Short mmCIF file of all heavy atoms in Angstrom, two decimals:
data_model
loop_
_atom_site.label_atom_id
_atom_site.label_comp_id
_atom_site.label_asym_id
_atom_site.label_seq_id
_atom_site.Cartn_x
_atom_site.Cartn_y
_atom_site.Cartn_z
N GLY Z 1 -4.77 33.29 -79.30
CA GLY Z 1 -4.58 34.72 -79.12
C GLY Z 1 -4.07 35.07 -77.74
O GLY Z 1 -3.18 35.92 -77.59
N MET Z 2 -4.59 34.42 -76.71
CA MET Z 2 -4.18 34.71 -75.34
C MET Z 2 -2.71 34.37 -75.11
O MET Z 2 -1.98 35.13 -74.47
CB MET Z 2 -5.06 33.96 -74.36
CG MET Z 2 -6.50 34.43 -74.31
SD MET Z 2 -7.42 33.65 -72.97
CE MET Z 2 -6.67 34.45 -71.54
N VAL Z 3 -2.29 33.22 -75.59
CA VAL Z 3 -0.90 32.80 -75.40
C VAL Z 3 0.05 33.81 -76.03
O VAL Z 3 1.10 34.15 -75.46
CB VAL Z 3 -0.68 31.39 -76.00
CG1 VAL Z 3 0.80 31.05 -76.06
CG2 VAL Z 3 -1.42 30.36 -75.15
N ARG Z 4 -0.30 34.30 -77.20
CA ARG Z 4 0.54 35.31 -77.85
C ARG Z 4 0.60 36.60 -77.04
O ARG Z 4 1.66 37.22 -76.92
CB ARG Z 4 0.02 35.58 -79.26
CG ARG Z 4 0.06 34.37 -80.18
CD ARG Z 4 -0.29 34.74 -81.61
NE ARG Z 4 -0.41 33.56 -82.45
CZ ARG Z 4 -0.44 33.57 -83.77
NH1 ARG Z 4 -0.36 34.74 -84.41
NH2 ARG Z 4 -0.57 32.45 -84.45
N VAL Z 5 -0.53 36.99 -76.48
CA VAL Z 5 -0.58 38.23 -75.70
C VAL Z 5 0.22 38.10 -74.41
O VAL Z 5 0.97 39.01 -74.03
CB VAL Z 5 -2.05 38.60 -75.40
CG1 VAL Z 5 -2.12 39.71 -74.33
CG2 VAL Z 5 -2.76 39.05 -76.66
N ILE Z 6 0.08 36.98 -73.71
CA ILE Z 6 0.78 36.79 -72.43
C ILE Z 6 2.29 36.95 -72.59
O ILE Z 6 2.96 37.53 -71.75
CB ILE Z 6 0.45 35.40 -71.85
CG1 ILE Z 6 -1.03 35.34 -71.45
CG2 ILE Z 6 1.32 35.10 -70.62
CD1 ILE Z 6 -1.51 33.93 -71.14
N GLY Z 7 2.81 36.44 -73.70
CA GLY Z 7 4.26 36.47 -73.91
C GLY Z 7 4.82 37.80 -74.36
O GLY Z 7 6.05 37.92 -74.53
N LYS Z 8 3.99 38.82 -74.54
CA LYS Z 8 4.47 40.11 -75.03
C LYS Z 8 3.76 41.23 -74.28
O LYS Z 8 2.69 41.67 -74.67
CB LYS Z 8 4.24 40.23 -76.54
CG LYS Z 8 4.77 41.52 -77.15
CD LYS Z 8 4.46 41.59 -78.64
CE LYS Z 8 4.92 42.91 -79.26
NZ LYS Z 8 4.56 42.99 -80.71
N ALA Z 9 4.36 41.68 -73.20
CA ALA Z 9 3.76 42.75 -72.40
C ALA Z 9 3.93 44.09 -73.09
O ALA Z 9 4.95 44.34 -73.74
CB ALA Z 9 4.41 42.79 -71.02
N PRO Z 10 2.95 44.98 -72.98
CA PRO Z 10 3.08 46.32 -73.57
C PRO Z 10 4.18 47.11 -72.87
O PRO Z 10 4.34 47.02 -71.64
CB PRO Z 10 1.71 46.95 -73.35
CG PRO Z 10 1.12 46.21 -72.20
CD PRO Z 10 1.65 44.80 -72.30
N ALA Z 11 4.93 47.86 -73.65
CA ALA Z 11 6.01 48.69 -73.10
C ALA Z 11 5.71 50.15 -73.38
O ALA Z 11 5.12 50.48 -74.41
CB ALA Z 11 7.35 48.30 -73.74
N PRO Z 12 6.08 51.04 -72.47
CA PRO Z 12 5.82 52.46 -72.69
C PRO Z 12 6.63 52.98 -73.89
O PRO Z 12 7.77 52.60 -74.10
CB PRO Z 12 6.27 53.11 -71.39
CG PRO Z 12 7.18 52.13 -70.74
CD PRO Z 12 6.73 50.78 -71.18
N THR Z 13 6.01 53.84 -74.65
CA THR Z 13 6.66 54.49 -75.78
C THR Z 13 6.42 55.99 -75.69
O THR Z 13 5.68 56.46 -74.83
CB THR Z 13 6.12 53.95 -77.12
OG1 THR Z 13 4.73 54.30 -77.25
CG2 THR Z 13 6.27 52.44 -77.20
N GLN Z 14 7.03 56.73 -76.61
CA GLN Z 14 6.83 58.17 -76.62
C GLN Z 14 5.38 58.53 -76.93
O GLN Z 14 4.82 59.46 -76.35
CB GLN Z 14 7.75 58.82 -77.66
CG GLN Z 14 7.72 60.35 -77.63
CD GLN Z 14 8.74 60.96 -78.56
OE1 GLN Z 14 9.49 60.26 -79.24
NE2 GLN Z 14 8.79 62.29 -78.61
N ASP Z 15 4.78 57.77 -77.82
CA ASP Z 15 3.38 58.02 -78.17
C ASP Z 15 2.41 57.46 -77.15
O ASP Z 15 1.27 57.92 -77.04
CB ASP Z 15 3.08 57.43 -79.55
CG ASP Z 15 3.89 58.09 -80.66
OD1 ASP Z 15 4.23 59.28 -80.51
OD2 ASP Z 15 4.18 57.40 -81.66
N ARG Z 16 2.86 56.43 -76.40
CA ARG Z 16 1.98 55.77 -75.43
C ARG Z 16 2.79 55.53 -74.16
O ARG Z 16 3.33 54.48 -73.94
CB ARG Z 16 1.45 54.45 -76.00
CG ARG Z 16 0.39 53.77 -75.18
CD ARG Z 16 0.27 52.30 -75.59
NE ARG Z 16 1.52 51.59 -75.36
CZ ARG Z 16 1.87 50.46 -75.91
NH1 ARG Z 16 1.09 49.91 -76.78
NH2 ARG Z 16 3.04 49.88 -75.64
N PRO Z 17 2.87 56.54 -73.30
CA PRO Z 17 3.72 56.41 -72.10
C PRO Z 17 3.18 55.44 -71.06
O PRO Z 17 3.94 54.96 -70.22
CB PRO Z 17 3.75 57.84 -71.55
CG PRO Z 17 2.49 58.48 -72.06
CD PRO Z 17 2.25 57.88 -73.41
N ILE Z 18 1.89 55.14 -71.09
CA ILE Z 18 1.29 54.22 -70.12
C ILE Z 18 1.23 52.82 -70.73
O ILE Z 18 0.64 52.63 -71.80
CB ILE Z 18 -0.12 54.69 -69.71
CG1 ILE Z 18 -0.03 56.04 -69.00
CG2 ILE Z 18 -0.78 53.65 -68.80
CD1 ILE Z 18 -1.39 56.61 -68.64
N PRO Z 19 1.85 51.80 -70.09
CA PRO Z 19 1.90 50.44 -70.67
C PRO Z 19 0.61 49.66 -70.48
O PRO Z 19 0.58 48.62 -69.80
CB PRO Z 19 3.07 49.80 -69.93
CG PRO Z 19 3.05 50.45 -68.58
CD PRO Z 19 2.60 51.88 -68.82
N ALA Z 20 -0.47 50.14 -71.05
CA ALA Z 20 -1.78 49.51 -70.93
C ALA Z 20 -2.41 49.37 -72.30
O ALA Z 20 -2.44 50.34 -73.07
CB ALA Z 20 -2.70 50.30 -70.00
N GLU Z 21 -2.90 48.18 -72.61
CA GLU Z 21 -3.53 47.94 -73.89
C GLU Z 21 -4.85 47.19 -73.69
O GLU Z 21 -5.04 46.48 -72.69
CB GLU Z 21 -2.63 47.11 -74.82
CG GLU Z 21 -1.46 47.88 -75.41
CD GLU Z 21 -1.88 48.80 -76.54
OE1 GLU Z 21 -3.10 48.98 -76.78
OE2 GLU Z 21 -0.97 49.34 -77.20
N VAL Z 22 -5.74 47.37 -74.64
CA VAL Z 22 -7.00 46.62 -74.69
C VAL Z 22 -7.18 46.12 -76.11
O VAL Z 22 -6.97 46.88 -77.07
CB VAL Z 22 -8.21 47.48 -74.27
CG1 VAL Z 22 -9.51 46.71 -74.47
CG2 VAL Z 22 -8.09 47.93 -72.82
N TYR Z 23 -7.55 44.84 -76.26
CA TYR Z 23 -7.74 44.24 -77.57
C TYR Z 23 -9.08 43.51 -77.66
O TYR Z 23 -9.52 42.88 -76.69
CB TYR Z 23 -6.64 43.20 -77.87
CG TYR Z 23 -5.25 43.77 -78.02
CD1 TYR Z 23 -4.38 43.82 -76.93
CD2 TYR Z 23 -4.79 44.22 -79.25
CE1 TYR Z 23 -3.10 44.31 -77.06
CE2 TYR Z 23 -3.50 44.71 -79.39
CZ TYR Z 23 -2.67 44.76 -78.30
OH TYR Z 23 -1.38 45.26 -78.44
N ASN Z 24 -9.70 43.60 -78.82
CA ASN Z 24 -10.79 42.69 -79.15
C ASN Z 24 -10.20 41.33 -79.50
O ASN Z 24 -9.19 41.24 -80.21
CB ASN Z 24 -11.58 43.18 -80.37
CG ASN Z 24 -12.41 44.40 -80.09
OD1 ASN Z 24 -12.78 44.68 -78.96
ND2 ASN Z 24 -12.71 45.16 -81.14
N ILE Z 25 -10.82 40.27 -79.03
CA ILE Z 25 -10.42 38.93 -79.44
C ILE Z 25 -11.70 38.16 -79.78
O ILE Z 25 -12.48 37.75 -78.92
CB ILE Z 25 -9.58 38.23 -78.35
CG1 ILE Z 25 -9.14 36.84 -78.81
CG2 ILE Z 25 -10.28 38.18 -77.00
CD1 ILE Z 25 -8.02 36.25 -77.97
N GLY Z 26 -11.93 38.03 -81.06
CA GLY Z 26 -13.15 37.41 -81.56
C GLY Z 26 -12.92 36.83 -82.94
O GLY Z 26 -11.79 36.80 -83.45
N CYS Z 27 -13.98 36.38 -83.56
CA CYS Z 27 -13.88 35.76 -84.87
C CYS Z 27 -13.93 36.79 -86.00
O CYS Z 27 -13.32 36.61 -87.04
CB CYS Z 27 -15.01 34.74 -85.05
SG CYS Z 27 -14.88 33.74 -86.54
N GLY Z 28 -14.68 37.87 -85.78
CA GLY Z 28 -14.81 38.89 -86.81
C GLY Z 28 -15.82 38.56 -87.88
O GLY Z 28 -15.81 39.17 -88.95
N HIS Z 29 -16.71 37.59 -87.57
CA HIS Z 29 -17.75 37.20 -88.54
C HIS Z 29 -19.06 36.99 -87.79
O HIS Z 29 -19.36 35.87 -87.35
CB HIS Z 29 -17.35 35.92 -89.28
CG HIS Z 29 -16.11 36.06 -90.11
ND1 HIS Z 29 -16.08 36.74 -91.30
CD2 HIS Z 29 -14.85 35.62 -89.90
CE1 HIS Z 29 -14.85 36.70 -91.80
NE2 HIS Z 29 -14.08 36.04 -90.97
N PRO Z 30 -19.85 38.04 -87.59
CA PRO Z 30 -21.11 37.87 -86.85
C PRO Z 30 -22.07 36.94 -87.58
O PRO Z 30 -22.13 36.92 -88.80
CB PRO Z 30 -21.65 39.29 -86.76
CG PRO Z 30 -21.06 39.99 -87.93
CD PRO Z 30 -19.69 39.40 -88.10
#
């Protein structure tokens, strides 16, 4: 997951002018 994220930086858009993102990275099975 990290390798994929590093290679694709967030870009500003009309709906999201600030290029900042936060993601959960987990298994999804408690």
Side-chain angles (χ1 to χ4, degrees):
M2 292 188 71
V3 169
R4 298 187 187 194
V5 168
I6 293 168
K8 183 182 177 182
T13 65
Q14 187 174 359
D15 297 331
R16 188 198 61 199
I18 297 177
E21 286 284 8
V22 174
Y23 293 94
N24 290 336
I25 182 165
C27 188
H29 298 286

